[in-house]
Amino acid sequence: GAEQAALVSTQQTELEEYVLPPQCKGALSVLRDAAQDRDVDPDQVYAAIRALEREKLQVPLLAVKGTWKLVFTTGTAKTQRDFGPINYFPVKAIQTFGDGDVITNGIFAGPLPLFRLKGTYKWLAFRSRLEFDFNDVEAFGVYTPELPDPLRSILGLKVDGKDYNKQPAFNFIAVDDKVLVARGAGGGVALWVREDDE
């Protein structure tokens, strides 16, 4: 009703007012090159992400919504400690931020999802933060019905009646028509390219 219409109007206004400052153009150019060619030095990619992060941009949800392919990630602090930096992501990983507050995250072989998580998100506009819960898992095109709680926990799925140690979230740093950049709740950063442009 009226409340939903007001929310859509507010989100549209935020999108129309979102303008990247001139000082962001160089960093975004580095990230666009990295997303396209995957041959930009990882230290340069990380430096560009950090430069954008220092700008504290207010990223609008409507610019984030869509289908994005993961290109580069540092992984969480724990992943970095256990395995070292990941940098360019070696497999096709697709993230969607959809209408109806639906989020998916999956690993694909061509157009087919091998493994995909599905859930819901909550947008905190004042922080450009998207908090999410994964509720379902799909393997080879089939959603698994009920999984035991320990397995749900290992997969990062929400377990009824249990709070997360740290709420899964992305704090968005910057977005343009080609790339999206965020820092995860675990401390790592990610760079995605819009899947339509792939």
Side-chain angles (χ1 to χ4, degrees), residues 11 60-68 96-101 121 194:
Q11 290 175 348
L61 176 60
L62 287 181
V64 169
K65 281 187 173 181
T67 302
W68 300 90
T96 61
F97 306 102
D99 292 330
D101 301 336
Y121 65 81
R194 194 174 291 280

Side-chain angles (χ1 to χ4, degrees), residues 35-90:
Q36 182 174 344
D37 301 328
R38 293 177 172 249
D39 64 358
V40 175
D41 181 89
D43 290 336
Q44 284 183 288
V45 175
Y46 186 71
I49 291 170
R50 289 291 293 135
L52 289 170
E53 193 169 35
R54 285 189 289 275
E55 293 297 322
K56 299 187 183 320
L57 301 172
Q58 192 72 29
V59 176
L61 176 60
L62 287 181
V64 169
K65 281 187 173 181
T67 302
W68 300 90
K69 179 179 176 185
L70 183 63
V71 173
F72 180 96
T73 182
T74 59
T76 64
K78 181 180 179 342
T79 302
Q80 290 175 44
R81 198 172 44 251
D82 294 348
F83 302 105
I86 296 171
N87 300 322
Y88 289 99
F89 204 70

